[in-house]
Amino acid sequence: MPLSSRRFGGNATLVACADAGYRLMAGDTHADAVSLVQQSLVDLGYACPQTGQFDAGTGAAVTAFKTDEALVPNDPVVGSGTIGRLDGYFVWEPTDPDVPDPSTAGLVAVVEAAMGTAVGWANAAIASLNAWASGQILPADPLWVAREALLTRHLGIDPTTPVARREEVLDEVALPALHGVVRALAPPSPFLVIAPVDRVTFVQGPGGGVYAGAALATGAVLTVTPAFRNVWDPVAQAGVVLRAALAPAYPASQVLAFPISMRYVTLDPASRATNRMGLVSLAYETATATPAPFRPIPTW
């Protein structure tokens, strides 16, 4: 089975998986292939480590993805069916982010609209998390059960998690982070400066040689390029700015997530990235009651 996406098609290990000649599983040493799978699962809203090692967390994310996609068996193994289904999610990735419009016209308005949407998601998640005390267990309440399913999927906590750990994640990480999003992104943002640039300017300046749809620089400046408008739909655009608010790319720009908790910002980079995507997808699914369809940050 050929792979159609630019993301996976150039990786020999994943091509072999698609042809049913290989399977990725626990302990696999093909770090490049494992990293691609991990990043793709994170981009789709699954809590997955980004270590290049096929560990237990990666296996759990693969199993969750296969369960959601009704792939049988839903085991922690990436074979032809799994990579084929993942490939289908990323065939949209373009080869030229400047098509159809290479100009920066209207980019600020697009970003501001995305910020407003993201704030709405964050407020929905805050309201949901505040509906019950973090230590309460109410299995007879269907609304509580539904919320717990979201927490388990996106933040890795459920009613069996020790109460102290559960309260720490909800009260010291999730809620402060989401409140920080509302304060940082509510238009007009008191913290964020939006700077639209074209491809040449981005590559020569803040992009560091990589052309992406958006990049956060020191001083809480969100640089956006035509790719932000051309590649992403409104849902993905809101997801991008929400991710930026939750985990600034540079420590010096932590002001963007003010007043985020120190427990969150001092996590190791892999855990912070996983938690960031988990909070984004939790907020979206709480607000919309539909599966998170987030796409990755495109680079060329």
Side-chain angles (χ1 to χ4, degrees):
M1 177 180 63
L3 294 175
S4 301
S5 70
R6 180 173 56 86
R7 172 181 295 226
F8 298 126
N11 186 277
T13 301
L14 296 180
V15 169
C17 287
D19 292 336
Y22 192 79
R23 300 198 304 164
L24 283 180
M25 61 185 70
D28 198 287
T29 58
H30 293 86
D32 54 345
V34 173
S35 293
L36 283 171
V37 170
Q38 289 174 333
Q39 181 62 57
S40 299
L41 289 168
V42 168
D43 292 338
L44 292 173
Y46 294 88
C48 183
Q50 294 175 283
T51 60
Q53 300 176 0
F54 203 117
D55 49 21
T58 302
V62 169
T63 297
F65 173 75
K66 293 173 76 169
T67 300
D68 291 343
E69 296 293 319
L71 293 170
V72 179
N74 61 338
D75 54 5
V77 175
V78 177
S80 59
T82 309
I83 194 61
R85 194 64 57 84
L86 281 171
D87 186 59
Y89 276 101
F90 296 99
V91 294
W92 61 270
E93 291 184 302
T95 56
D96 187 351
D98 285 335
V99 174
D101 183 1
S103 76
T104 60
L107 273 177
V108 172
V110 173
V111 176
E112 289 178 341
M115 290 163 57
T117 300
V119 168
W121 296 348
N123 278 326
I126 290 169
S128 175
L129 292 178
N130 283 332
W132 290 272
S134 55
Q136 275 189 300
I137 300 177
L138 303 171
D141 190 323
L143 292 178
W144 180 89
V145 171
R147 189 193 75 150
E148 293 306 295
L150 286 175
L151 295 180
T152 300
R153 173 181 164 115
H154 300 301
L155 301 185
I157 59 174
D158 58 44
T160 66
T161 304
V163 171
R165 170 64 177 163
R166 178 185 179 79
E167 291 181 347
E168 178 186 34
V169 174
L170 292 179
D171 298 341
E172 298 182 24
V173 178
L175 277 168
L178 291 167
H179 279 294
V181 165
V182 174
R183 289 176 171 84
L185 295 183
S189 172
F191 302 112
L192 183 64
V193 176
I194 305 169
V197 300
D198 58 18
R199 178 200 293 259
V200 174
T201 305
F202 187 84
V203 171
Q204 293 178 347
V210 178
Y211 185 56
L216 186 68
T218 301
V221 176
L222 182 65
T223 304
V224 291
T225 73
F228 187 93
R229 176 194 57 231
N230 297 344
V231 175
W232 291 318
D233 60 27
V235 168
Q237 291 164 354
V240 168
V241 295
L242 185 48
R243 273 180 274 180
L246 284 167
Y250 303 95
S253 60
Q254 297 290 3
V255 64
L256 180 59
F258 176 86
I260 207 166
S261 72
M262 288 307 297
R263 171 71 181 88
Y264 183 83
V265 299
T266 56
L267 291 173
D268 64 271
S271 297
R272 195 161 62 237
T274 299
N275 284 351
R276 174 181 62 201
M277 196 65 238
L279 285 168
V280 171
S281 54
L282 171 70
Y284 173 83
E285 293 193 10
T286 301
T288 66
T290 58
F294 295 114
R295 297 172 176 176
I297 295 177
T299 59
W300 291 265

